[in-house]
Amino acid sequence: MSYIYPYLKANFPGKDEVLELTPNPASGELIKKLEKDVVETFLDRFAAQQPQCRFGLQGTCCRMCQWGPCTITEKSPRGVCGKDLNLIVMGNLLRALVAGLSAHARHAHEIYLTILAVSNGSIDMNLKGKGRIFEMADRLGISVENRAINSIAGEIAEILIEDLGRMTAGNLRILEAYAGQEHQELWEKLEILPRSSAYEIMEALHMTTLGACSDWMALVMQELRSALAYCYSTLFGTSLATEILYGTPQPRDSIVNYGILKEDHVNILLHGHSPVMVEKILEKIHTPEIQTLATQLGAKGIVLGGMCCTGDELLARYGIPTVTNILGQELALGTGAVDSVIVDMQCVIPGMKIVADCFGTEIITTCKSNRIPGAVHVPFDPEDPGSLDDDALFVARKAVEAFGRRERRNIHIPEHRSEARVGWSYEAIMETFGGAKYIVELLKTGTFKGICTIVGCNTPKVAYESNHVTIARELIAAGVLLTTTGCCSHALLNAGLCALKAAELAPPDTRSIFEELGAPPTLAVGGCVDNARTLRLFMALAEAAEVPMRDMPFMFIGPEPGNEKTIGQGVSFLVHGISTTIGFPGNIPQASVKPNDVADFFGKDGLFEKVGAKVYTEANPKLAAQIVNDHLNMKRIKLQEQGWS
Ligand code: BF8
């Protein structure tokens, strides 16, 4: 059964359709099990919400003051204050983007403050990313002569913190250090260079309050400005700073999917986004004290599994197996085999605790702003890290002790496991693929038809993971090299598309390159902040090809947008001239609604004239893949006309 939304030109799937189309058989098994166990999941709540509000779905509801809520209809084309459709739609999009920016900024803040704490000695650890420290110091103009490594890292962290919160005139130092000259000049001309993350969040919220800004185009420009803050102050900054702390991932093999859980082991899932506390907990889990505790309780060992972006980070860095993504978190607990989940920040849905309570799973929260009623709460504070070792040991012990209380009557672990070669940092890609010049050669000869990044969340508005996997399969078959992050990466990992043998799906000449180099056709580069790695790759390739990025055969694909954080991902690539294909209409009316300047601006020529990129929207994954292929071909034809062959 589908829920039909003609005005969106889209249908939302019911549970039966999800069961038919979802590509991971393990998900199907667990959906059925939870239904049999009469345990509610997102699918039941999604059904109960149907039909969803037409105004909310189209972004045409304004709730920014107490005069409303106001909705746009033929009878009422303006809100009470006089706002029209453009102002309401664009205001909602801007608020959503900066909400996502605030989430990434909070994550960045924790990472930067942790480096400061290591630098001033309040956290005792060795910084593993020495190469990254020297590279960043060089780009940021920091002197390294006769200085201890911790002191240089501390100065880098101070600059990143200033970029997060600068309130007086000045540009982002991290943007100046990493963005190409061509783009910096364009953004200066467009007057969209940001001051800091906090400043742009403040400005965006200010501009959208009652009576503050009546020019929708000014809101568009603030969207682009905020996206640049998002891209550099929080994506680049966090990804690079995390490497300062824990090192740069290198390719390694792993096994993923629900089948990594073991009935006779303690099963602990690691969930969220910031790896700081969890790194310390891992250290404790590997101590003889905790390993012995597990055996004393009758377990044969301890299995660790990752979820969401913390899972992506640990997979990339250590090969710790991942299990699932945001919409799989309830399913994972539905196995009945998970003893505890250690969560830090973001994308931890309240529904997970409902399932946890049904199966006796212990939830442990480690971020002071991400609380769950009934969970054990052991917050990490980089400004007061005195008890970090004791806290991490306490969490490790609690997580293992839950095994002794596990309800053993109703366990089902799907057997499905998939191989994966992971750890594709920017440097790892360059090394494995022989450097930027060689990758450009592969693009020129058509061995790679293009490079796309396929990323982002899940949404219950499409059959779970089916858009991610269908689009990726189609593109691999067309000879496109893929990078992936976030929840999409879990879908592709579990579908086996990050395994070396997935090269078999590619055309013969592309396949032999993957086999020769020892790389899969889908490169899992990390968590959502690591989209910066793909952007760095795109920048380096455009530079090596001596072609503006907007003309390169690249694309950003977000097949199942969900979280507000994902809007900034797409706009980050757009401002660099990389067009995006999104798999489900965002909260923006279809272009057929007239007048609809915002949809026209993003989907037709307005944005393209400014930055050289536009947004395509297609809910059908096969058609979306066709749009991507056409886009790449168009770019290739244009380059060939200019002598690229
Ligand atoms: O930052 S892809 S649902 S897990 S927001 Fe969240 Fe979306 Fe998943 Fe990681 Ni990214």
Side-chain angles (χ1 to χ4, degrees):
M1 175 194 175
S2 292
Y3 308 107
I4 301 166
Y5 288 84
Y7 58 88
L8 294 177
K9 296 203 190 105
N11 298 342
F12 301 166
K15 195 187 270 188
D16 50 351
E17 204 176 333
V18 173
L19 280 169
E20 188 190 323
L21 295 175
T22 195
N24 185 357
S27 309
E29 286 176 30
L30 292 167
I31 290 168
K32 285 186 197 149
K33 175 178 186 288
L34 282 161
E35 187 165 76
K36 196 165 133 258
D37 293 345
V38 202
V39 177
E40 158 193 308
T41 67
F42 71 94
L43 290 165
D44 304 299
R45 295 187 294 270
F46 186 65
Q49 287 291 336
Q50 300 304 316
Q52 289 180 288
C53 168
R54 120 179 244 138
F55 302 103
L57 283 169
Q58 298 192 98
T60 55
C61 172
C62 184
R63 293 189 295 112
M64 290 171 200
C65 74
Q66 282 80 54
W67 293 357
C70 295
T71 49
I72 295 294
T73 63
E74 249 174 62
K75 172 180 129 310
S76 60
R78 288 184 182 274
V80 176
C81 71
K83 266 189 190 179
D84 64 5
L85 179 137
N86 290 330
L87 268 174
I88 291 177
V89 170
M90 199 53 233
N92 284 331
L93 282 176
L94 178 55
R95 283 202 166 195
L97 186 143
V98 297
L101 169 56
S102 71
H104 274 302
R106 176 64 176 79
H107 175 179
H109 187 252
E110 179 162 306
I111 302 290
Y112 304 161
L113 261 61
T114 301
I115 296 178
L116 264 194
V118 175
S119 165
N120 66 30
S122 52
I123 292 181
D124 179 21
M125 70 175 262
N126 287 328
L127 297 173
K128 298 208 183 106
K130 300 220 170 23
R132 185 63 77 214
I133 294 172
F134 285 117
E135 183 218 277
M136 291 185 79
D138 183 42
R139 285 179 181 250
L140 290 164
I142 294 171
S143 153
V144 297
E145 285 292 302
N146 302 320
R147 289 182 70 182
I149 196 91
N150 282 15
S151 149
I152 305 168
E155 192 173 337
I156 294 171
E158 277 164 9
I159 290 172
L160 294 172
I161 291 165
E162 202 189 323
D163 277 353
L164 267 186
R166 181 180 299 104
M167 282 291 153
T168 51
N171 288 340
L172 285 187
R173 301 265 312 267
I174 185 78
L175 181 152
E176 291 173 335
Y178 281 89
Q181 205 49 42
E182 152 213 350
H183 280 126
Q184 294 197 42
E185 283 163 17
L186 171 69
W187 300 330
E188 187 167 11
K189 208 168 97 210
L190 292 173
E191 297 179 13
I192 56 169
L193 283 169
R195 193 176 281 198
S196 69
S197 288
Y199 184 84
E200 302 314 335
I201 292 167
M202 175 182 80
E203 186 63 326
L205 292 176
H206 165 233
M207 288 172 85
T208 47
T209 51
L210 175 61
C213 179
S214 300
D215 178 356
W216 71 270
M217 187 51 73
L219 300 184
V220 168
M221 300 317 275
Q222 182 59 23
E223 178 99 350
L224 304 185
R225 200 174 291 116
S226 305
L228 281 174
Y230 177 110
C231 181
Y232 286 96
S233 168
T234 73
L235 296 190
F236 268 79
T238 310
S239 182
L240 296 167
T242 308
E243 291 185 14
I244 287 181
L245 287 168
Y246 306 114
T248 299
Q250 288 301 315
R252 60 182 73 240
D253 292 322
S254 185
I255 300 284
V256 298
N257 214 338
Y258 294 87
I260 62 114
L261 300 173
K262 293 183 181 153
E263 189 165 347
D264 52 8
H265 282 54
V266 183
N267 292 304
I268 303 173
L269 298 185
L270 310 162
H271 183 13
H273 287 77
S274 168
V276 179
M277 179 79 167
V278 96
E279 286 267 351
K280 202 35 120 183
I281 296 166
L282 285 177
E283 231 179 84
K284 304 299 175 192
I285 286 177
H286 291 122
T287 58
E289 178 189 342
I290 296 297
Q291 295 289 325
T292 309
L293 175 63
T295 39
Q296 280 168 352
L297 290 166
K300 293 217 170 111
I302 301 174
V303 169
L304 299 169
M307 289 205 289
C308 287
C309 288
T310 291
D312 284 324
E313 292 259 5
L314 301 176
L315 177 74
R317 219 164 250 117
Y318 309 113
I320 291 177
T322 45
V323 178
T324 188
N325 44 26
I326 188 164
L327 280 187
Q329 59 193 288
E330 293 170 312
L331 306 184
L333 271 58
T335 58
V338 177
D339 299 295
S340 46
V341 188
I342 301 169
V343 307
D344 52 84
M345 58 174 75
Q346 302 161 25
C347 301
V348 180
I349 62 172
M352 187 183 74
K353 184 70 167 72
I354 300 172
V355 185
D357 288 345
C358 295
F359 291 94
T361 305
E362 185 88 271
I363 307 287
I364 305 167
T365 53
T366 63
C367 170
K368 68 179 174 191
S369 50
N370 283 233
R371 300 295 301 265
I372 299 175
V376 175
H377 186 55
V378 187
F380 165 64
D381 181 354
E383 286 178 302
D384 182 18
S387 56
L388 178 58
D389 271 282
D390 291 345
D391 288 350
L393 184 60
F394 174 79
V395 172
R397 204 179 286 128
K398 270 265 163 212
V400 169
E401 280 168 358
F403 178 83
R405 299 190 301 276
R406 190 196 291 173
E407 169 64 71
R408 287 180 167 72
R409 275 177 305 127
N410 188 10
I411 292 178
H412 172 72
I413 301 174
E415 280 175 7
H416 310 279
R417 293 152 65 96
S418 313
E419 293 173 359
R421 180 157 293 178
V422 298
W424 297 103
S425 59
Y426 166 73
E427 283 78 4
I429 296 173
M430 283 301 187
E431 248 164 62
T432 304
F433 286 80
K437 289 247 178 256
Y438 185 59
I439 302 174
V440 168
E441 269 317 299
L442 294 172
L443 283 167
K444 281 188 178 177
T445 56
T447 308
F448 293 152
K449 296 291 181 299
I451 307 179
C452 294
T453 191
I454 175 163
V455 302
C457 322
N458 313 122
T459 171
K461 290 173 180 169
V462 307
Y464 177 49
E465 294 182 339
S466 65
N467 279 25
H468 290 311
V469 173
T470 308
I471 294 174
R473 279 182 180 278
E474 295 277 325
L475 294 178
I476 293 169
V480 177
L481 174 66
L482 299 175
T483 66
T484 185
T485 59
C487 288
C488 179
S489 73
H490 294 281
L492 305 186
L493 283 158
N494 288 352
L497 300 181
C498 302
L500 294 181
K501 54 177 204 293
E504 290 167 7
L505 303 170
D509 53 338
T510 323
R511 171 184 174 169
S512 34
I513 282 291
F514 288 131
E515 288 171 349
E516 188 187 308
L517 302 176
T522 310
L523 307 175
V525 301
C528 283
V529 296
D530 299 313
N531 282 327
R533 291 181 179 144
T534 299
L535 211 33
R536 268 195 98 175
L537 175 69
F538 284 176
M539 286 176 187
L541 297 183
E543 197 185 323
E546 297 178 22
V547 167
M549 242 159 98
R550 59 167 68 191
D551 295 332
M552 291 293 283
F554 299 152
M555 202 174 216
F556 172 98
I557 311 163
E560 304 184 16
N563 195 313
E564 287 165 314
K565 285 192 282 175
T566 209
I567 296 175
Q569 312 275 6
V571 185
S572 291
F573 281 78
L574 286 170
V575 283
H576 286 82
I578 311 291
S579 289
T580 75
T581 297
I582 53 172
F584 181 80
N587 301 111
I588 184 165
Q590 294 288 287
S592 54
V593 175
K594 299 288 177 200
N596 187 351
D597 301 322
V598 177
D600 288 349
F601 176 84
F602 283 100
K604 292 189 177 163
D605 294 335
L607 183 67
F608 189 83
E609 276 163 17
K610 290 191 189 300
V611 298
K614 60 171 150 182
V615 179
Y616 299 84
T617 305
E618 177 51 63
N620 179 306
K622 292 218 171 188
L623 295 179
Q626 192 53 52
I627 286 173
V628 177
N629 275 323
D630 289 349
H631 176 82
L632 299 177
N633 280 333
M634 209 175 65
K635 297 284 178 192
R636 298 184 63 78
I637 290 168
K638 211 169 144 208
L639 285 169
Q640 276 155 4
E641 283 168 4
Q642 292 165 8
W644 231 46
S645 59

